[in-house]
């Protein structure tokens, strides 16, 4: 929403988790990006209006045609610490919200590719490359750089999924039946994310084997990516409440769930 609000004359102060400040400053250089704090930052208190990050959607995203056609809205820094054979697959399988999780052993069909662990909170298997010196829990800007370096992402619903979608990376999102309902509609602001579900009789290893075939079809024998993940399209209505209609000075509070 940032560019649209500013085109209407708004001067934006955007308050986000401190781990996102650098990434957001690079991605939205004309916004004033500040770290979240409590009590509220003085710049937020000085604003004429404030809203949670998703609230302007009630006015700016009322139908599918309102969504920008771009595939990405975050800009990562370059990642040049390693040279892997393409296609490079970024993997994540764990979240503090336990029902989402997939056993890392289920990812073994991906061993035929060069894989990078993006998993915060623990080490990956020895057949995955671990980014040297990167704090996967707290260096979100560094994690975004590694995601952008990858050609495909295979992940459950967690921070990695949201970053990959915002970076426009072809992403396979593994969904269990316990997922929040927002993932069950292919979101137009994550057009490169494809949701993958399984039946009770299927295993995640079987579904990931299908992902391997899909990646192989999308990659020629020299390793060049020749197509991206094509998500399903679903009609839906957006009913997001919003504060105020005027847009002079907004203080927008970040409210994403990073689990």
């Amino acid at each position: 929403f940032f560019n649209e609000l500013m085109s209407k004359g708004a001067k934006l102060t955007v308050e986000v988790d401190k781990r996102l400040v650098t990434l957001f400053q690079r991605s939205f250089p004309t916004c004033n990006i500040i770290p979240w704090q409590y009590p509220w930052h003085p710049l937020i208190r000085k604003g004429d209006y404030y809203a949670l990050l998703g609230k302007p959607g009630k006015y700016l995203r009322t139908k599918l045609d309102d969504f920008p056609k771009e595939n990405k809205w975050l800009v990562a820094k370059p990642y040049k610490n390693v040279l892997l054979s393409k296609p490079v697959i970024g993997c994540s399988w764990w979240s503090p919200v336990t029902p989402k999780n997939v056993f890392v052993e289920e990812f073994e069909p991906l061993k035929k590719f060069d894989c990078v662990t993006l998993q915060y909170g623990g080490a990956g298997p020895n057949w995955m490359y671990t980014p040297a010196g990167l704090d996967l829990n707290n260096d979100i800007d560094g994690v975004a750089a590694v995601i952008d370096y990858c050609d495909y992402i295979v992940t459950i619903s967690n921070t990695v999924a949201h970053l990959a979608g915002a970076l426009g990376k072809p992403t396979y999102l593994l969904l269990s039946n316990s997922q929040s309902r927002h993932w069950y509609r292919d979101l137009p602001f994550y057009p490169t994310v494809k949701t993958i579900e399984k039946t009770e009789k299927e295993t995640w290893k079987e579904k990931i084997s299908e992902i391997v075939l899909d990646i192989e079809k999308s990659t020629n024998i020299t390793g060049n990516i020749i197509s991206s993940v094509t998500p399903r399209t679903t009609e839906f209505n957006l009913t997001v409440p919003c504060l105020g209609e005027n847009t002079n000075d907004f203080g927008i509070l970040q409210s994403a769930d990073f689990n």
Side-chain angles (χ1 to χ4, degrees):
F1 309 126
F2 298 164
N3 290 335
E4 289 160 88
L5 290 172
M6 288 187 291
S7 71
K8 298 177 184 295
K11 297 178 181 178
L12 293 184
T13 295
V14 183
E15 188 174 45
V16 299
D17 185 293
K18 64 181 180 181
R19 296 171 295 176
L20 291 172
V21 170
T22 302
L23 180 59
F24 270 51
Q25 286 174 337
R26 182 185 308 108
S27 304
F28 310 107
T30 57
C31 294
N32 183 22
I33 309 295
I34 60 175
W36 179 88
Q37 67 177 50
Y38 184 82
W40 286 4
H41 193 285
L43 289 176
I44 295 294
R45 294 181 177 276
K46 290 180 180 179
D48 297 319
Y49 302 94
Y50 69 89
L52 297 179
L53 191 58
K55 298 280 185 166
K58 180 178 181 181
Y59 297 102
L60 301 177
R61 299 290 184 272
T62 60
K63 57 185 182 300
L64 285 175
D65 289 344
D66 291 338
F67 286 84
K69 303 305 180 185
E70 300 89 41
N71 284 343
K72 61 183 295 183
W73 48 273
L74 289 182
V75 179
K77 64 182 180 181
Y79 181 73
K80 299 180 180 179
N81 293 347
V82 65
L83 181 62
L84 300 174
S85 299
K86 287 185 172 294
V88 178
I89 316 299
C91 303
S92 182
W93 54 90
W94 180 87
S95 165
V97 183
T98 305
K100 299 179 180 181
N101 297 341
V102 174
F103 289 114
V104 68
E105 291 78 11
E106 306 270 22
F107 279 66
E108 289 184 353
L110 292 167
K111 289 173 71 171
K112 66 189 307 178
F113 304 121
D114 280 0
C115 293
V116 177
T117 176
L118 299 168
Q119 186 55 62
Y120 51 89
N126 57 15
W127 54 270
M128 289 187 189
Y129 171 77
T130 300
L134 178 60
D135 182 352
L136 291 167
N137 286 286
N138 296 304
D139 187 357
I140 300 299
D141 193 38
V143 172
V146 178
I147 290 173
D148 202 45
Y149 172 84
C150 294
D151 298 301
Y152 297 93
I153 305 297
V154 181
T155 182
I156 64 165
S157 173
N158 58 12
T159 304
V160 171
H162 290 284
L163 286 173
L167 287 163
K169 301 306 295 186
T171 300
Y172 298 90
L173 178 63
L174 309 179
L175 291 180
S176 69
N177 291 332
S178 63
Q179 291 303 302
S180 299
R181 62 184 179 180
H182 63 279
W183 281 123
Y184 282 102
R185 293 164 174 169
D186 292 293
L187 302 182
F189 40 86
Y190 291 156
T192 61
V193 175
K194 181 178 182 179
T195 56
I196 306 295
E197 301 174 63
K198 71 176 184 66
T199 66
E200 291 184 1
K201 295 182 179 180
E202 292 177 310
T203 67
W204 280 118
K205 184 173 287 188
E206 291 171 332
K207 301 305 291 186
I208 291 175
S209 294
E210 294 175 6
I211 291 173
V212 168
L213 294 176
D214 199 47
I215 290 174
E216 289 177 331
K217 291 177 182 178
S218 302
T219 309
N220 65 23
I221 58 174
T222 62
N224 295 319
I225 308 305
I226 57 177
S227 66
S228 61
V229 176
T230 303
R232 298 169 297 175
T233 56
T234 306
E235 293 283 340
F236 65 96
N237 294 319
L238 297 171
T239 55
V240 183
C242 183
L243 295 177
E245 294 181 286
N246 293 321
T247 55
N248 291 328
D249 287 319
F250 272 73
I252 300 185
L253 304 180
Q254 182 273 336
S255 60
D257 177 8
F258 284 94
N259 291 327

